[in-house]
Amino acid sequence: MTTHENPEGSTTPSTMSYVTSFDVAAPIGEVFRVATRPVLWWGEMIHGSSNALGDRFEWNVPGQHFNAFEVTEYAPGRRCAWTVLASGKEHEADEWVGTVVEFTFTSAGNGTAVTFEHRGLTPSLECYDMCSRAWNYHLDVGLRAYLDGETARPLTYGTIDDVVATIGSSGQIE
């Protein structure tokens, strides 16, 4: 995976969002199908639907992290985006509220290039280092692994402690 920061109309580090990209051998339709079903690759703590425009889902790691998402873009085979909503629930990652998680898919050789951007997740946020490490982890051992035919390791209630140790912890899983 290639990770870099993406300028959002400015070259100052505080306005650079987290971006990463990787290629997989899977066809673009399958990549889109799997990416838009985060319970398959991100974690069993996903509740709700993410299969159509306007769908809503939650990422809820009890006692650790909570965020609600709405599917705000759904263009099969090309792009999907989830906007993080304010919920007021306990353990909400406030820094994420209003940010946008976006996938872009393009054909690449015999497979698909995936670009992932968490727009608004910038180095000026306290959680940036931990969140970017967590995204790297989930995208690599979850989404990329699943699409490359490897055993995907989405977060489960039984693996929380191991994942925290793997990505380094400030007490939260992102």
Side-chain angles (χ1 to χ4, degrees), residues 5-17:
E5 293 171 346
N6 184 42
E8 294 177 341
S10 172
T11 57
T12 60
S14 64
T15 60
M16 309 278 273
S17 291

Side-chain angles (χ1 to χ4, degrees), residues 60-155:
N60 185 11
V61 182
Q64 302 262 338
H65 182 108
F66 180 90
N67 275 113
F69 298 82
E70 180 177 355
V71 178
T72 51
E73 189 168 353
Y74 195 86
R78 294 185 319 223
R79 172 187 247 86
C80 69
W82 310 324
T83 298
V84 183
L85 307 171
S87 70
K89 291 196 176 181
E90 186 176 6
H91 302 293
E92 180 169 57
D94 295 332
E95 291 180 311
W96 282 27
V97 173
T99 65
V100 177
V101 174
E102 181 179 79
F103 290 90
T104 304
F105 312 97
T106 55
S107 294
N110 292 330
T112 304
V114 178
T115 300
F116 173 91
E117 180 176 4
H118 190 155
R119 259 185 285 129
L121 178 60
T122 64
S124 65
L125 299 179
E126 185 177 325
C127 78
Y128 182 81
D129 289 338
M130 174 67 171
C131 292
S132 59
R133 283 193 313 270
W135 277 129
N136 286 342
Y137 176 87
H138 294 299
L139 292 166
D140 186 41
V141 305
L143 184 59
R144 187 209 47 78
Y146 188 104
L147 292 166
D148 278 343
E150 299 171 15
T151 300
R153 296 186 315 242
L155 189 65

